[in-house]
Amino acid sequence: MSSATAPGADDIPAQLAEFARDYYHCADCSYCVDATWAERGLDHVCPTIMHHRPVVSWSGRGYLLAARAWFEGAAIDEGALAERVFACTGCGHCEAVCPIGLRPAQIGASLRAVLVARGHAPEPVAALRAAMRTHGNPYALSAASRVDWAAALAFADDEATLLYAPGCAAAWRAPGEAVAQVRVMQAAGERVAWRGAADRCCGGPLREAGCNDDAAQAEAALVRGLTTTRVVVGGLECAPGWRRAATGRAGVHTFGEWLREILAAGRLRIDVTAGLRVHAFDGCAARRPDEARVDDPLREILARCGITPVNDAHGSAHAVCCGAAGTMSAVAGESALRMAAARLVAPAQADVIVVGDPRCRAHLEDAARSAPSAPVLGLAEFLTTHTRIGAPT
Ligand code: SF4
Ligand code: SF4
């Protein structure tokens, strides 16, 4: 239920002061809301404005203005504010386009954390936290089913060269991609370990939802009993939590980062089917704000394989989020699917859409069930089905 909070010093969260510089430098230009700039490949910014609620208060600028008003002592309807800030995917595009370097996406993330701490998490976010506490995954699925994706694989018992942590999205929603990632790593000579039933969620979905205390507990559990000095994570959203947890203990790479290194070192040969029209899916991970940012080297890897995507790189930094990230799909699933549908491409334009992030891959496939689209594959699935992989000759 919504409730207006009477103004007063005790009602102004201390965290809001961190962004005072942003509040008073904002030029109200609205670039972060709906900028377009054809020569830069910029065609709108905020997926929430485009596909959920076309109102400024549901955008990065809206979050900044709300935080400023709260900081200055205005009465805030915290329930109504929560409805708005949890409909943000955290894609960071608003922040990436701000011409004076302000932080509307980080302000949104801070508001989510404040609202969770003050008991205003929307019901789907409360359900997410309960699912994590009860089942250890954001989907409220049986913890025992975490191992199902790997039934046909063999892992290294000893002398492992790396630990693979698929992440919840790959393990449950894109299991074919998790399997293919392991097969590609093994083809490169890696001895891949996996924790099986002891594998754990990294806490990434909790962090995105502002449940930072729960996320910190999940991260702390990751490195208990860790015996390898290299970890490869399947999900891009898993990397920040793993990196925080494993600092000083192990190097953490995403599958894409690992593959980029392996290809650069000449440890894997990939021969591509001639004439294949590949659409490279440009994700948001590399422009998310602050510690949430993760490299997505999909285009570099395709180039090393001799593939020129049919969609050129112009504007790749400005692709509007597909809605897979953050709490968007939990609080407004239909809107999140519209975001994904807007990113699909027709079969006449490409033979396959290749996606570097398993979470985006699963979400796009969901949207493709009701929209004509080229098939959607994760990067490793693509490599294992459309190329020949082997040791260099
Ligand atoms: S982070 Fe993305 S979804 Fe959230 S307000 Fe900014 S542009 Fe919109
Ligand atoms: S946050 Fe930046 S882009 Fe958004 S309105 Fe203010 S100055 Fe413009």
Side-chain angles (χ1 to χ4, degrees):
M1 288 289 289
S2 298
S3 61
T5 302
D10 291 345
D11 290 320
I12 302 173
Q15 296 95 317
L16 297 179
E18 183 186 342
F19 299 98
R21 176 185 69 89
D22 302 70
Y23 308 150
Y24 298 109
H25 282 80
C26 176
D28 288 332
C29 67
S30 283
Y31 261 53
C32 59
V33 180
D34 55 8
T36 59
W37 189 350
E39 292 76 11
R40 292 275 164 83
L42 179 54
D43 183 12
H44 291 86
V45 174
C46 178
T48 304
I49 284 277
M50 289 181 74
H51 301 289
H52 182 57
R53 213 49 77 84
V55 182
V56 168
S57 56
W58 296 69
S59 71
R61 179 172 170 237
Y63 305 155
L64 184 151
L65 291 173
R68 173 176 170 173
W70 201 354
F71 177 67
E72 292 176 343
I76 295 295
D77 182 334
E78 296 181 38
L81 180 59
E83 196 184 342
R84 287 152 47 195
V85 297
F86 284 93
C88 162
T89 71
C91 71
H93 203 186
C94 49
E95 204 155 303
V97 301
C98 176
I100 52 175
L102 304 187
R103 300 170 290 174
Q106 290 180 63
I107 290 170
S110 179
L111 286 173
R112 288 191 287 277
V114 165
L115 290 164
V116 165
R118 293 166 69 93
H120 289 284
E123 191 283 328
V125 173
L128 163 73
R129 184 156 57 169
M132 287 292 299
R133 288 178 175 175
T134 306
H135 304 288
N137 66 77
Y139 313 123
L141 293 168
S142 136
S145 63
R146 192 174 192 93
V147 302
D148 291 354
W149 69 273
L153 294 171
F155 291 92
D157 293 329
D158 54 21
E159 298 181 0
T161 56
L162 60 83
L163 173 71
Y164 177 60
C168 299
W172 272 289
R173 301 195 58 226
E177 174 64 5
V179 169
Q181 290 184 348
V182 173
R183 293 204 192 285
V184 173
M185 289 188 283
Q186 291 175 334
E190 299 281 12
R191 290 180 56 80
V192 180
W194 176 56
R195 287 169 155 172
D199 187 39
R200 290 283 177 273
C201 176
C202 66
L206 291 164
R207 186 75 64 179
E208 291 180 336
C211 305
N212 291 340
D213 291 345
D214 287 46
Q217 286 183 28
E219 289 168 9
L222 293 175
V223 290
R224 285 184 203 132
L226 184 66
T227 55
T228 62
T229 57
R230 292 167 77 214
V231 176
V232 171
V233 296
L236 272 60
E237 74 279 15
C238 308
W242 262 101
R243 286 182 175 138
R244 267 189 296 275
T247 300
R249 304 259 317 250
V252 177
H253 301 270
T254 64
F255 171 77
E257 291 168 339
W258 168 88
L259 182 55
R260 175 173 56 188
E261 275 189 29
I262 292 296
L263 291 173
R267 286 177 52 190
L268 203 59
R269 175 178 169 164
I270 296 177
D271 296 316
V272 181
T273 308
L276 200 63
R277 296 172 306 156
V278 173
H279 178 103
F281 177 81
D282 298 304
C284 303
R287 65 160 188 248
R288 285 186 199 135
D290 204 25
E291 290 184 343
R293 186 169 302 147
V294 179
D295 206 5
D296 179 1
L298 173 66
R299 283 180 176 273
E300 290 174 66
I301 290 167
L302 293 177
R304 280 203 175 270
C305 296
I307 295 170
T308 304
V310 292
N311 55 324
D312 69 30
H314 179 66
S316 60
H318 291 303
V320 177
C321 176
C322 72
T327 49
M328 187 69 218
S329 60
V331 301
E334 291 300 315
S335 299
L337 286 174
R338 279 195 293 277
M339 295 173 186
R343 296 293 310 277
L344 295 173
V345 298
Q349 295 174 294
D351 299 313
V352 61
I353 303 170
V354 180
V355 188
D357 187 335
R359 183 166 62 165
C360 301
R361 178 239 177 274
H363 184 59
L364 289 165
E365 187 172 57
D366 287 347
R369 292 198 182 98
S370 53
S373 170
V376 180
L377 290 178
L379 172 59
E381 288 173 303
F382 167 72
L383 295 175
T384 54
T385 55
H386 288 284
T387 73
R388 281 198 311 279
I389 301 174
T393 52

